[in-house]
Amino acid sequence: KLQGGGRFRSEDEDNLAVVKGTQLELYVLKEEEKKHSKTCNGKQNGQKAAGDSGHGHGGATLQCVGRYDLNGNVESMAFVRLPGRNRDHLFLVFRDAKLSILEYDNSIDDIVNVSLHLFEDDEIRKGRVSFGRAPLLRVDPLQRCAALLVYESKMVVIPFKHKGSDLEEDDEILTQPNKKFKSESASSNTVTRLGAPSDNKLGILPTYVVDLDEAGIKHVVDFTFLDGYYEPTISFLHENSRTWAGRLAVSNFTGMITTVSLNISQRRQPIIWSASKLPHNSRHIVALPAPAGGVVVVSSNALIYRNHEQKCALKLNEYAIAAGDGGNRFDTAGDIICFDTVHPVRLEGYQMLFSLVTGESYIMGVQLDTDGNTIKALTLDLVDVKLSPSGGFASIMCRVGDSYLFLGSRLGDSSLVKMIKRSKEVDDEGDVSEHGQSNGVENGSSSQGADPVKQEVNDSLPSAPVKSEAEPSSKEEDSSEDELYGNDAPKPAGGPEMKEENSDSDDDLYGGAPTTDAAPTREATTVKAEQAPAMNAEVEMDDEDAAMYLGLNPRNAANGLSKEGMPDGFYRFELCDTLTNIGPIGDFSLCSHRSSMDEVKKDSVELVTASGGLQYGKLGVLQRSLNPVVMTAVPLPDAQAVWTVFGPTAKAADEDMEEDGNEEEEQSAGMHAYMVISQGNDKGTIVLKGRELEEFDEDEQVDFEVDAKTVCVGNIFGNQRIVQVTPWNVYVLNGPRKEQELPVVAGNGLQIVAAYIRDPYIALILQDGRLNLLVGDASSMQVNYVSHEIHNITAACFFLDPIPDGEANDDPQQRDVMLAAAPRNGHFQLYTLPSLELVYDAADFVLAPPLLVEERSGAVALDPADLPEVPFILDMCIEPIPFPHKKECDADILCLVAITSSADILLYKSFEFCETQQMTALEAEKQEEDAKKAVRKWSKLRFKKVNHEIMLRGEEVFDDFFVDELELEDPTREATLKTLRTSRLMPLGGAGGLEGVLIAARQPAVVLFGRGLPRIHPWKLDRGEGVRSAARFNNLQCKDGIVCIADKGRDRAKGVLKICNIPEGISGDTPWPLRTKHVGMTVHHVAFHAATGCHVLVVSSQQEIEDERKPEGTLEGAIPPLTEEKYEVQLRAPYSMELLDSYEFDFANGEKALCLQVVHLKNTRVKDSLLPFVAVGTGFQNGESETSRATGRIYVFEVTTVVGEEGYEGRTSFKIKKIFTSADIQDIKAPVSALCQLEGYLLVAQGPNPGMIGGSKLYVYEWVDEKLVGRAFFDAHLYITTLKTVKFFIVFGDIRHSVHLLRWREDIRMLQLLAKDALPLSVYAAEFVVMGSNFGLLASDEQKNVQVFVFNPNSPEYRRQQLICRADLHVGSHINKFIRWPLPFRPTLGVRTAAHYTTLDGGIGAIIPIPEQSYRRLLALQNLLVTAMPHYAGLNPRSWRLYKPAMCMKRRYAKNFLDGNLLGRYLHLDLALQMQLSSALNQTREAILGDLYELLMSTMIT
């Protein structure tokens, strides 16, 4: 929706902020390091490679470093560098007039509120409730002030105090409150209302409000700050007198420009110049830099330049002058285009980039006059911006750093592209970049194929000036060009001179780029500055002359030159990265999950969305859980844990073992050789071998310990040896043969209860909590005990040292192995190996604090003394988050995953924090001494908690772990510490192309690293099936797979060994796992055909209108082609979503499909049977005359089966067959806007039509003898937007007249009105919500609200035939559709249904009814959470969820809604605060978690 680029986290780091609905995402630009970059020690990392252009055209990616949920929609945003700060601040603007200023706090790796400004005042509102225009924020280029347009006609000026400014804090005028409005004192300096004190720490002076109506500026469209003025100067694009389509012939040029100067010290705004007669469809105004200055107005059909003196214009098509020229002299662009586009982005100098809906991009340039200060013409040229097939046109663009552009798309995926400025050494024939892409043809300029040196010399000769298409051919123009450039052209003999001249002009053109970024690609084209002679004075170009032709014009320069001899094609755009976009979701369906073409999981549900638009339309398949594809399932009732290990290489294998070449090839390719399965009930261990997982033969020597349980199995010595740990011994094996056996040395009969292996170390945890360490000797292939040990340890793990020491080293084999341990006191500790020296100790890890800080850094630890039961860490795992283009001196980002004894998942992400402070000489000397120790480097490592809402527990806390009856009487699980426990955390290691950690539990989950910030999803095998253990498995039958021990618990058969794969094409970089299918057309509707598993779509594509259908008086000439949507019905295959069949509607007459539904109609030939059909309603936009009135049609399709259809993998295929259309009888007299099934009948909404009394109508049709026969009707209101039924009840929503509840009387075949909402409401979607014997009506409206209506004649609030509003809530996004879906059955609650919905912002949600007891408990918790935690941007969630009416409320707020997002934040709190809140509610934490578990599971689509 919105985005901005700046340096927010660090002064040497480029950041990108992206707003998606109510979520703010922060990214870091990670560039590929150049080959000549320096290492951490400052040493040169190699010389520049031969032929390296030196531009550093490497790839770049966006790393997500933060996601923040906001209680509001961001309407405008900007990065601002406040005075005295070395980093940018983020300004966020919210409706109606709120401004939040945020900064990044690197000590906690989070954003914090530093200043809040509220400009909402009843006097400013002037009695209005809602405003059509959102607030708009603009910042002065010199960072002197910011301007905020609020309430459509008020401008808030926010001045900044800068060094050298004439504004002082003690100025009398600045210290006075705004006299026009009431002054209110703020509670602190950081919360500012009108007339309140300024924020001196930030350098923000008191704000004031300017009434634009009093200045004669009305209906502001856009505004911008101008460049080159002493005082901040703003140009407003506005319309004082508006027009409309019927008056364009007489009132077309209604746009105006008014430029005012802000005298902040005196609070005056004089008008310095203005302009009028601009096109009515002017949308944007962009300032140009000095010295030319001025603004460019962007309209749909023209680009117009204006300043206080000059003006020029460029028409894009003939519509620009269809109603006159408005006093403008228009030049003609080369292409016929239409600028229904976004706000352009500035490139270099006077250049601007535009992105069109069609996917094309254009760069606007200017032509300057001889003085260099006057713009005489605008140029526009096509530029090739290569995006991915799913990448959409830019809805908004911004700069990221100096060389990158972010193209944020609403219809497709957003893209990060690199702007590559072509230097003079890159010839037109074919310089190849580092990515192997040819640069020979750029921006339309052709390759000449000549020698590079001669080519450059010849290109320097402006021998034949080429005339622009938009330029008049006259002798005056030719003479002016001669005066500008001189009559004497350079001679060919002056090759070196001309190269030096081009070099200077290029430097001026590109702003004097550093030499390292403009290194020559060939030695033959390099000329040293000191060897070049002086340039000819007649052709010398200064900065102003070089800036005259910053635009591209490849079509006008056949030889690759513009007529003045300046090289064109300066930019090339390379795609670097993409961000997946799910929205806007126009329609969706719920269906049974398919893991493959033929496998259907009826107990699992997936959501299919229709998103995007135009050529960017696509289908998305989403599930809240990640569902693996099970390849093999073998019952093993007593299986407890599983491991897979590699065997020895062919050289180390025993000669007696028979291994063919294929097995050797498997092992060399990383195939697992053995699978070890530990069993319970004293059944020992099973060891399987080979690709078929066979047991060993009786004559084979097998030294694996199979008579006892196995604690852990792993590889050491570079996978040459296998280590098996049992409760009493440690075995080292070479293949299946034992080489070494080490017994437990603890004594007192203590056993090994947990073990961890990481080459070359083995960690053993004994029953008394002692941790013993074994280290391997690679020379002797033996392992030995280390004399040191650690006490009171409950869990541990190995990981690689994330912080480089001295020389950068990315080789994992050369990195030090570290040990992380969790003692019983709940701390988090790090040890060096093999000395076991403690280098890091963070307190209260088990209490899930928001930040883990090393104690010696001065962190304040939480006090667990008040907690009745302090849990402990059961298991933990640390894995680095992989990310491309990580700098060599940057530390790895670690992901810490832990499971507590209270069934909580702790998820942390590491970051570095170095305190910057001035030190004395003595302190510096001490720090230098400490730097030699390992402790010093670990003091800057911190871990930030990553919030999530996944719960391992079931309805009760013990439902989540596989425990015996003894542990049920042990709330603290102390007995668990003395029993054998295998690791429940398994690193994915790239399985299925995903990186993360799999968590084995009753409710298993998986942590995916994605784009740098971990996400956690449920892991689902079958309904109610948990995972005891899991391991990576890789062989020829299952490449990059996972083997796990599945278990359904005590009441069912236990132990199933399942080998599974992660589905292909799954994206882990989205909130829900996503699989997409590119359609290439706008998908309007989608419906699921359950009988065949297919999906039916209504799609459209833009087609040019035929001449006979064009309106009378259509303008001829250079105009964009008139297009119209061509609709068709498509049948898509199950799972793959491939196109099977389609049916096209009547495009010649303008038929449009308006609704689609899969209905089950009565079969009149067979009693009590229903037949599945696909019903489609269409409409014709023919006008309002009697002869050509708007009509419609009803189509009924049937999906048939075709056996052995060729072209679809030889399988059974499906076709869609039209069996009925109302046109066969007579066209319906009005468009069909909605339809659905009703007790075996077809219910159809028709209208409106000028001939229909009352507007729309409802008709009930019966399917008789292969046709529809009308049985009943009902007179409705204006236009029915949605239509839903449950049994014989009907609810429909009107575009103006809210919702109506009807009843179908089949005995008398009549539709009877039960009740309606008497207040006006623009309904977008409606649905039933059922709970037991009661139901409610859901309705979403134009103002992004949701209301729940009930029909209760026995209520005291009931009025005759009126619905009662029982609950209302502000969602914050438009909801187009609800789908009713049953909830898990509870005998005490009866039948319940949830209403799932999607939004146009790409959001997915659900509304469910909950019982009274849970509601009151959670409502009390919700009220506490409003004040118990800070909220980003200072937004109040209670105010955010309050119903937002379109006009003055005529009833009281109903509320009665719970905010699931806010309640979910209870899980984000640390354990101590959770206990405090539960105590304040007089409830237990377990009761609250049980309610939240029920709430989350009810709304989860798995």
Side-chain angles (χ1 to χ4, degrees):
K1 181 180 177 181
L2 292 173
Q3 67 211 16
R7 295 191 169 181
F8 184 60
R9 299 174 76 243
S10 174
E11 57 183 338
D12 55 356
E13 178 182 88
D14 293 319
N15 300 120
L16 172 70
V18 178
V19 175
K20 299 179 179 180
T22 59
Q23 189 176 74
L24 172 67
E25 294 185 350
L26 189 62
Y27 294 88
V28 173
L29 178 68
K30 292 289 185 180
E31 296 187 72
E32 184 177 0
E33 283 195 298
K34 302 176 183 178
K35 297 180 180 180
H36 53 276
S37 62
K38 295 183 179 181
T39 63
C40 299
N41 289 338
K43 297 181 180 180
Q44 197 71 18
N45 189 19
Q47 301 296 327
K48 194 189 309 181
D52 184 10
S53 63
H55 292 285
H57 295 173
T61 52
L62 293 173
Q63 177 184 358
C64 184
V65 294
R67 298 187 187 96
Y68 315 101
D69 292 324
L70 306 175
N71 297 313
N73 294 117
V74 180
E75 303 294 348
S76 187
M77 63 184 293
F79 282 108
V80 180
R81 182 68 59 90
L82 293 177
R85 303 301 177 102
N86 56 3
R87 293 181 301 173
D88 293 336
H89 284 68
L90 182 59
F91 282 44
L92 300 180
V93 180
F94 305 89
R95 285 185 184 262
D96 286 317
K98 303 180 183 71
L99 172 64
S100 299
I101 303 178
L102 310 177
E103 73 173 356
Y104 171 75
D105 188 348
N106 53 6
S107 64
I108 60 175
D109 191 27
D110 204 352
I111 59 175
V112 294
N113 309 324
V114 295
S115 184
L116 305 177
H117 300 260
L118 181 66
F119 306 105
E120 297 178 357
D121 189 273
D122 293 337
E123 188 174 350
I124 301 180
R125 289 176 178 270
K126 295 183 178 179
R128 295 180 59 180
V129 176
S130 61
F131 296 85
R133 183 175 184 86
L136 186 61
L137 178 68
R138 293 288 185 263
V139 182
D140 178 56
L142 299 181
Q143 310 287 308
R144 294 173 292 187
C145 69
L148 177 62
L149 179 66
V150 297
Y151 300 122
E152 299 180 353
S153 61
K154 302 296 186 296
M155 185 183 68
V156 180
V157 180
I158 309 169
F160 308 143
K161 185 182 185 317
H162 276 268
K163 187 176 181 180
S165 172
D166 57 351
L167 300 178
E168 299 295 340
E169 296 177 6
D170 54 355
D171 283 353
E172 181 180 356
I173 185 67
L174 293 181
T175 56
Q176 295 178 359
N178 197 330
K179 299 181 185 299
K180 189 174 182 59
F181 303 103
K182 182 180 178 181
S183 175
E184 301 183 18
S185 60
S187 59
S188 66
N189 288 341
T190 59
V191 181
T192 306
R193 294 182 65 90
L194 289 174
S198 63
D199 193 345
N200 298 329
K201 295 181 181 180
L202 290 178
I204 298 179
L205 299 175
T207 61
Y208 64 96
V209 179
V210 178
D211 192 340
L212 298 181
D213 287 342
E214 295 181 356
I217 303 174
K218 301 179 180 180
H219 309 304
V220 176
V221 178
D222 194 8
F223 71 97
T224 183
F225 279 89
L226 300 187
D227 188 23
Y229 286 83
Y230 176 75
E231 291 182 334
T233 304
I234 301 179
S235 274
F236 292 92
L237 175 64
H238 59 104
E239 283 185 287
N240 284 357
S241 177
R242 291 181 173 180
T243 185
W244 58 291
R247 286 185 52 83
L248 289 182
V250 295
S251 180
N252 187 7
F253 296 91
T254 58
M256 301 177 63
I257 296 177
T258 301
T259 303
V260 300
S261 179
L262 298 181
N263 188 337
I264 298 177
S265 61
Q266 300 297 323
R267 291 185 179 179
R268 297 178 180 177
Q269 302 80 34
I271 298 177
I272 56 177
W273 63 271
S274 61
S276 59
K277 294 187 177 181
L278 299 176
H280 73 283
N281 52 9
S282 300
R283 294 293 177 262
H284 306 290
I285 182 170
V286 186
L288 294 183
V295 294
V296 173
V297 176
V298 182
S299 70
S300 300
N301 307 313
L303 294 175
I304 302 173
Y305 169 77
R306 288 291 180 92
N307 67 4
H308 61 285
E309 293 178 335
Q310 293 83 22
K311 64 178 180 179
C312 60
L314 180 70
K315 67 176 181 180
L316 309 177
N317 52 64
E318 293 300 322
Y319 289 124
I321 57 175
D325 57 9
N328 299 303
R329 181 182 63 86
F330 286 94
D331 297 331
T332 303
D335 291 343
I336 302 173
I337 55 178
C338 184
F339 263 7
D340 290 331
T341 180
V342 300
H343 200 288
V345 62
R346 284 264 304 273
L347 299 181
E348 293 284 346
Y350 301 109
Q351 288 179 322
M352 299 181 194
L353 179 67
F354 295 85
S355 178
L356 273 63
V357 177
T358 58
E360 298 176 331
S361 297
Y362 286 83
I363 289 184
M364 187 210 76
V366 302
Q367 293 182 3
L368 299 180
D369 209 340
T370 55
D371 58 359
N373 298 330
T374 304
I375 295 178
K376 65 177 183 179
L378 304 177
T379 62
L380 192 68
D381 299 273
L382 180 68
V383 62
D384 185 18
V385 180
K386 298 179 180 178
L387 304 178
S388 63
S390 59
F393 78 97
S395 302
I396 188 169
M397 298 182 291
C398 73
R399 297 281 296 269
V400 183
D402 297 329
S403 305
Y404 294 90
L405 276 176
F406 184 75
L407 311 179
S409 177
R410 183 172 175 82
L411 297 183
D413 294 343
S414 301
S415 305
L416 176 72
V417 298
K418 183 173 185 178
M419 304 182 299
I420 301 176
K421 295 180 289 189
R422 291 185 56 195
S423 61
K424 66 183 183 62
E425 290 85 2
V426 181
D427 61 276
D428 288 338
E429 182 176 3
D431 174 46
V432 180
S433 66
E434 296 177 6
H435 298 282
Q437 298 178 354
S438 175
N439 303 336
V441 181
E442 302 296 343
N443 304 336
S445 58
S446 60
S447 173
Q448 303 298 322
D451 181 80
V453 180
K454 295 181 180 179
Q455 180 72 27
E456 184 179 1
V457 175
N458 294 335
D459 287 353
S460 302
L461 304 178
S463 56
V466 182
K467 198 165 293 185
S468 171
E469 295 178 3
E471 189 172 344
S473 57
S474 62
K475 295 183 179 180
E476 289 79 8
E477 291 291 332
D478 294 340
S479 62
S480 64
E481 301 297 339
D482 294 338
E483 293 176 1
L484 178 61
Y485 294 101
N487 297 325
D488 298 334
K491 305 302 179 187
E497 297 177 328
M498 294 310 303
K499 283 187 282 188
E500 181 65 24
E501 178 191 45
N502 284 346
S503 175
D504 283 0
S505 62
D506 284 349
D507 290 344
D508 295 335
L509 183 64
Y510 302 134
T515 57
T516 56
D517 293 338
T521 57
R522 295 175 178 84
E523 295 181 359
T525 61
T526 304
V527 179
K528 295 184 178 180
E530 59 269 15
Q531 297 176 352
M535 294 187 297
N536 193 320
E538 295 182 0
V539 295
E540 182 178 358
M541 301 179 66
D542 57 10
D543 292 345
E544 296 179 355
D545 293 335
M548 291 176 60
Y549 284 88
L550 292 174
L552 306 181
N553 204 356
R555 292 185 299 274
N556 301 338
N559 296 327
L561 296 170
S562 63
K563 66 179 183 178
E564 283 82 6
M566 294 292 295
D568 55 7
F570 294 143
Y571 282 99
R572 178 164 58 90
F573 295 88
E574 281 186 0
L575 177 64
C576 297
D577 199 2
T578 58
L579 298 183
T580 304
N581 182 23
I582 301 177
I585 303 176
D587 196 4
F588 76 103
S589 67
L590 294 175
C591 60
S592 300
H593 170 68
R594 287 179 177 263
S595 56
S596 63
M597 187 71 66
D598 303 319
E599 184 179 355
V600 183
K601 290 185 177 181
K602 294 185 178 180
D603 61 343
S604 185
V605 184
E606 63 186 12
L607 187 143
V608 179
T609 63
S611 58
L614 302 177
Q615 63 267 36
Y616 318 110
K618 60 184 177 182
L619 294 174
V621 182
L622 299 104
Q623 265 192 312
R624 185 63 188 92
S625 60
L626 184 59
N627 293 11
V629 180
V630 179
M631 312 291 292
T632 304
V634 179
L636 289 176
D638 298 308
Q640 298 288 333
V642 61
W643 300 269
T644 55
V645 291
F646 299 98
T649 59
K651 293 182 180 180
D654 190 86
E655 296 179 357
D656 296 334
M657 298 178 62
E658 296 180 358
E659 292 183 345
D660 55 15
N662 290 336
E663 291 178 343
E664 296 178 2
E665 183 180 354
E666 290 177 24
Q667 295 178 7
S668 62
M671 302 294 178
H672 290 102
Y674 305 101
M675 180 181 294
V676 182
I677 303 172
S678 179
Q679 301 184 99
N681 298 327
D682 299 328
K683 292 190 176 182
T685 300
I686 299 175
V687 181
L688 306 177
K689 68 168 186 176
R691 73 173 70 172
E692 301 296 336
L693 297 179
E694 302 172 339
E695 295 187 14
F696 286 89
D697 298 333
E698 295 181 359
D699 56 347
E700 292 187 80
Q701 179 183 357
V702 181
D703 293 337
F704 280 97
E705 179 59 58
V706 296
D707 295 331
K709 293 183 180 180
T710 299
V711 180
C712 185
V713 180
N715 287 104
I716 60 172
F717 303 134
N719 297 336
Q720 297 300 315
R721 296 294 184 268
I722 301 172
V723 175
Q724 180 187 13
V725 181
T726 66
W728 301 103
N729 297 282
V730 177
Y731 300 94
V732 180
L733 303 99
N734 183 3
R737 189 174 60 188
K738 180 173 63 177
E739 288 189 348
Q740 185 183 7
E741 178 180 353
L742 284 83
V744 178
V745 297
N748 299 327
L750 297 178
Q751 299 181 6
I752 301 173
V753 295
Y756 310 91
I757 301 174
R758 183 67 175 262
D759 192 10
Y761 299 100
I762 305 170
L764 309 176
I765 298 181
L766 307 181
Q767 286 180 319
D768 61 352
R770 279 185 291 173
L771 184 144
N772 292 335
L773 181 67
L774 290 81
V775 61
D777 184 2
S779 60
S780 62
M781 295 291 181
Q782 299 288 315
V783 297
N784 300 287
Y785 280 97
V786 175
S787 59
H788 310 288
E789 63 181 18
I790 313 173
H791 297 274
N792 295 325
I793 300 299
T794 62
C797 68
F798 292 107
F799 67 100
L800 293 180
D801 186 351
I803 305 176
D805 265 335
E807 291 290 340
N809 193 354
D810 284 339
D811 187 4
Q813 302 296 333
Q814 303 298 326
R815 303 285 285 272
D816 295 333
V817 179
M818 304 288 297
L819 176 68
R824 183 61 184 88
N825 60 6
H827 285 219
F828 173 73
Q829 298 175 347
L830 300 180
Y831 295 87
T832 59
L833 299 179
S835 62
L836 288 180
E837 178 187 359
L838 178 63
V839 295
Y840 191 91
D841 189 0
D844 303 321
F845 174 41
V846 73
L847 301 182
L851 198 67
L852 290 180
V853 183
E854 212 271 332
E855 279 190 336
R856 282 161 287 196
S857 299
V860 179
L862 296 174
D863 184 11
D866 298 334
L867 300 179
E869 301 169 359
V870 179
F872 55 87
I873 302 297
L874 275 178
D875 201 359
M876 60 189 301
C877 176
I878 297 179
E879 287 294 316
I881 298 178
F883 199 82
H885 307 149
K886 184 178 76 70
K887 295 182 180 180
E888 293 181 347
C889 16
D890 287 348
D892 289 336
I893 300 177
L894 301 180
C895 180
L896 169 60
V897 185
I899 303 176
T900 69
S901 59
S902 58
D904 295 324
I905 303 177
L906 306 185
L907 188 60
Y908 286 86
K909 179 180 70 75
S910 69
F911 68 98
E912 287 187 280
F913 169 67
C914 299
E915 296 185 5
T916 57
Q917 57 183 358
Q918 296 181 354
M919 296 181 295
T920 63
L922 183 61
E923 291 175 342
E925 183 179 355
K926 184 179 183 300
Q927 181 179 359
E928 185 177 354
E929 294 177 359
D930 293 341
K932 300 177 182 178
K933 302 179 182 179
V935 178
R936 185 61 188 178
K937 85 168 185 178
W938 291 99
S939 62
K940 60 182 179 181
L941 182 67
R942 296 187 176 187
F943 289 86
K944 178 191 175 185
K945 185 178 179 181
V946 179
N947 298 321
H948 64 88
E949 297 176 358
I950 299 300
M951 304 176 67
L952 291 182
R953 54 169 291 140
E955 294 181 7
E956 298 179 0
V957 65
F958 288 99
D959 286 350
D960 194 36
F961 289 90
F962 299 94
V963 297
D964 54 22
E965 299 296 334
L966 176 64
E967 289 182 316
L968 294 177
E969 300 177 359
D970 181 21
T972 61
R973 292 181 181 266
E974 291 291 341
T976 308
L977 298 176
K978 300 185 182 300
T979 60
L980 187 149
R981 55 186 187 276
T982 58
S983 178
R984 299 188 183 274
L985 302 176
M986 185 213 76
L988 293 179
L994 301 177
E995 295 285 348
V997 177
L998 177 61
I999 304 173
R1002 176 80 65 180
Q1003 303 286 340
V1006 58
V1007 179
L1008 298 181
F1009 295 155
R1011 190 177 286 274
L1013 196 63
R1015 295 182 188 269
I1016 185 168
H1017 309 283
W1019 174 276
K1020 184 176 182 180
L1021 292 174
D1022 286 329
R1023 180 184 292 273
E1025 194 170 55
V1027 176
R1028 284 188 174 273
S1029 178
R1032 284 286 311 279
F1033 184 62
N1034 187 21
N1035 71 358
L1036 292 181
Q1037 282 74 28
C1038 181
K1039 293 185 178 180
D1040 284 335
I1042 296 174
V1043 57
C1044 57
I1045 303 295
D1047 197 329
K1048 290 192 175 182
R1050 302 187 189 90
D1051 300 333
R1052 303 185 183 183
K1054 298 182 180 181
V1056 180
L1057 179 69
K1058 292 191 174 183
I1059 300 175
C1060 48
N1061 274 334
I1062 296 178
E1064 297 181 357
I1066 293 294
S1067 172
D1069 189 31
T1070 51
W1072 288 14
L1074 170 68
R1075 179 169 56 89
T1076 60
K1077 176 63 178 179
H1078 185 69
V1079 177
M1081 293 184 284
T1082 302
V1083 184
H1084 297 273
H1085 302 283
V1086 57
F1088 176 64
H1089 193 268
T1092 60
C1094 298
H1095 280 84
V1096 186
L1097 313 180
V1098 170
V1099 301
S1100 69
S1101 58
Q1102 293 290 334
Q1103 302 289 337
E1104 189 171 355
I1105 300 178
E1106 299 177 359
D1107 293 338
E1108 54 269 17
R1109 290 200 64 242
K1110 290 183 179 180
E1112 296 182 2
T1114 301
L1115 188 65
E1116 301 291 340
I1119 61 172
L1122 297 179
T1123 61
E1124 194 175 19
E1125 290 180 310
K1126 180 180 180 181
Y1127 284 79
E1128 63 180 84
V1129 174
Q1130 291 186 351
L1131 184 66
R1132 294 278 172 166
Y1135 184 74
S1136 65
M1137 298 294 177
E1138 297 293 337
L1139 179 62
L1140 298 179
D1141 196 10
S1142 64
Y1143 176 85
E1144 296 183 355
F1145 294 104
D1146 187 2
F1147 172 72
N1149 294 317
E1151 186 176 16
K1152 293 176 170 55
L1154 302 179
C1155 52
L1156 166 72
Q1157 193 73 30
V1158 175
V1159 296
H1160 293 77
L1161 304 181
K1162 286 184 178 180
N1163 186 356
T1164 56
R1165 300 177 182 177
V1166 181
K1167 188 177 181 181
D1168 297 333
S1169 66
L1170 300 176
L1171 299 177
F1173 296 103
V1174 178
V1176 181
T1178 66
F1180 294 87
Q1181 296 178 351
N1182 294 329
E1184 300 180 0
S1185 63
E1186 292 292 335
T1187 57
S1188 61
R1189 183 171 293 170
T1191 58
R1193 292 175 183 173
I1194 301 175
Y1195 290 84
V1196 178
F1197 297 91
E1198 183 181 16
V1199 180
T1200 60
T1201 303
V1202 181
V1203 180
E1205 175 69 15
E1206 295 183 1
Y1208 186 60
E1209 304 177 4
R1211 304 185 184 186
T1212 299
S1213 184
F1214 307 97
K1215 295 289 185 181
I1216 187 168
K1217 177 183 177 182
K1218 184 187 74 172
I1219 59 177
F1220 172 78
T1221 176
S1222 59
D1224 296 339
I1225 303 175
Q1226 183 182 3
D1227 279 343
I1228 298 175
K1229 296 181 180 180
V1232 178
S1233 60
L1235 45 78
C1236 67
Q1237 69 182 37
L1238 173 66
E1239 296 285 290
Y1241 295 87
L1242 182 64
L1243 182 63
V1244 179
Q1246 303 174 12
N1249 190 293
M1252 298 177 64
I1253 299 176
S1256 299
K1257 291 182 181 293
L1258 282 176
Y1259 285 90
V1260 179
Y1261 291 93
E1262 186 179 8
W1263 183 250
V1264 180
D1265 296 332
E1266 303 296 325
K1267 64 180 180 180
L1268 293 175
V1269 179
R1271 296 306 187 194
F1273 73 92
F1274 176 83
D1275 288 328
H1277 288 284
L1278 185 61
Y1279 183 83
I1280 297 177
T1281 58
T1282 179
L1283 187 63
K1284 292 296 178 69
T1285 61
V1286 56
K1287 291 188 176 181
F1288 49 81
F1289 291 103
I1290 305 165
V1291 60
F1292 71 85
D1294 191 86
I1295 194 63
R1296 284 295 299 166
H1297 298 281
S1298 194
V1299 292
H1300 293 65
L1301 178 64
L1302 309 178
R1303 180 175 61 179
W1304 165 242
R1305 298 283 301 275
E1306 187 176 7
D1307 52 348
I1308 59 177
R1309 292 186 176 180
M1310 185 181 72
L1311 292 172
Q1312 179 182 3
L1313 175 65
L1314 296 180
K1316 65 180 180 179
D1317 181 23
L1319 300 178
L1321 187 69
S1322 299
V1323 179
Y1324 277 22
E1327 185 55 276
F1328 287 94
V1329 176
V1330 180
M1331 185 172 182
S1333 59
N1334 301 320
F1335 68 82
L1337 309 179
L1338 278 177
S1340 66
D1341 60 24
E1342 183 184 14
Q1343 301 299 320
K1344 306 178 182 179
N1345 303 307
V1346 170
Q1347 297 183 66
V1348 178
F1349 298 93
V1350 296
F1351 174 63
N1352 186 5
N1354 299 324
S1355 172
E1357 302 177 23
Y1358 177 74
R1359 299 294 181 268
R1360 179 177 176 81
Q1361 290 190 336
Q1362 288 190 12
L1363 294 172
I1364 303 172
C1365 181
R1366 186 63 68 196
D1368 50 28
L1369 174 79
H1370 182 69
V1371 178
S1373 299
H1374 287 119
I1375 298 176
N1376 268 0
K1377 184 178 182 180
F1378 291 103
I1379 290 184
R1380 188 174 64 253
W1381 199 260
L1383 292 173
F1385 179 75
R1386 297 287 186 272
T1388 58
L1389 301 178
V1391 178
R1392 293 186 303 159
T1393 62
H1396 294 274
Y1397 65 85
T1398 57
T1399 70
L1400 293 183
D1401 290 333
I1404 301 173
I1407 298 175
I1408 63 171
I1410 61 175
E1412 181 74 15
Q1413 183 179 4
S1414 298
Y1415 170 78
R1416 294 192 177 279
R1417 185 160 49 225
L1418 293 178
L1419 178 62
L1421 175 63
Q1422 176 176 283
N1423 294 333
L1424 281 181
L1425 290 175
V1426 173
T1427 56
M1429 63 177 65
H1431 303 285
Y1432 292 117
L1435 299 173
N1436 191 325
R1438 183 181 299 165
S1439 173
W1440 160 241
R1441 293 304 182 187
L1442 201 62
Y1443 180 80
K1444 307 293 189 300
M1447 56 187 68
C1448 293
M1449 288 280 291
K1450 296 183 179 180
R1451 60 171 178 82
R1452 291 190 295 180
Y1453 294 106
K1455 301 180 183 179
N1456 294 333
F1457 254 115
L1458 295 179
D1459 186 355
N1461 292 337
L1462 180 60
L1463 291 173
R1465 295 187 64 182
Y1466 178 80
L1467 303 175
H1468 304 169
L1469 305 176
D1470 59 75
L1471 184 59
L1473 187 53
Q1474 288 183 4
M1475 299 292 289
Q1476 292 176 12
L1477 293 180
S1478 60
S1479 299
L1481 297 175
N1482 198 21
Q1483 299 287 338
T1484 63
R1485 176 175 178 266
E1486 285 69 25
I1488 294 177
L1489 292 179
D1491 290 338
L1492 292 178
Y1493 173 81
E1494 176 67 21
L1495 187 67
L1496 294 175
M1497 293 303 297
S1498 299
T1499 59
M1500 192 174 294
I1501 298 175
T1502 59

